[in-house]
Amino acid sequence: MERNEAGGDSGGRAELLAAIENAARISAGRGVFFHQAVANRLGINTSDLNCLNILQLSGPLTAGQLAERAGLTKGGAITTALDRMERAGLVERERDPGDRRRTIIRHTQEALDRIAPLMPAEPWQEVYSHFTDAELRTILEYTERSSEAARICIERLLGT
């Protein structure tokens, strides 16, 4: 049984949930195309762009850590991606001073400079300006929960 905010039954909730699901699917699809367009402009693929995003959010990582977070295989796939990004001037590799067997990967300032004009903040700031702080907290919670749901689905699809 579905319930509305007042605790009563509501046939409108099903329609609202369907509308949210449709809007989320459209948004996700546009996000894929947006990231593909950015990657194309940078001369890399979307997996590489995802690696750059991970490095921007988390800071320097070992090649293995980056591979794990990006869903790439350690060795071949991550090495090929790093070679591409290094040739494009987007990442740097350095030996881990604490363990010379490991390589630390970090994004370059050039990466930030090249990505910034392709991913402007203004359109999203305009969207956020229409919401109260309380509403933004709800949007943040939804986004975090939705991201976690996507992670779970990815793990199921990959059999991990």
Side-chain angles (χ1 to χ4, degrees), residues 42-58:
L42 293 170
I44 59 176
N45 64 41
T46 54
S47 289
D48 299 347
L49 184 61
N50 186 42
C51 287
L52 285 172
N53 186 50
I54 291 166
L55 289 170
Q56 282 183 274
L57 292 171
S58 66

Side-chain angles (χ1 to χ4, degrees), residues 10-40:
S10 173
R13 183 174 172 89
E15 289 83 10
L16 179 59
L17 291 172
I20 291 169
E21 182 176 338
N22 289 342
R25 289 176 64 188
I26 290 167
S27 179
R30 287 182 180 159
V32 168
F33 287 126
F34 174 63
H35 285 101
Q36 183 63 61
V38 170
N40 289 346

Side-chain angles (χ1 to χ4, degrees), residues 87-132:
R87 276 193 306 274
L90 303 172
V91 298
E92 297 172 333
R93 298 184 229 201
E94 63 184 50
R95 288 283 175 213
D96 182 342
D99 182 348
R100 304 280 301 152
R101 296 169 296 176
R102 296 186 336 168
T103 301
I104 301 293
I105 312 302
R106 63 181 83 248
H107 64 77
T108 63
Q109 185 59 47
E110 179 181 349
L112 300 178
D113 294 344
R114 290 177 57 198
I115 291 170
L118 302 175
M119 301 180 96
E122 293 84 19
W124 283 270
Q125 289 170 346
E126 168 60 22
V127 170
Y128 303 147
S129 73
H130 295 275
F131 297 98
T132 66

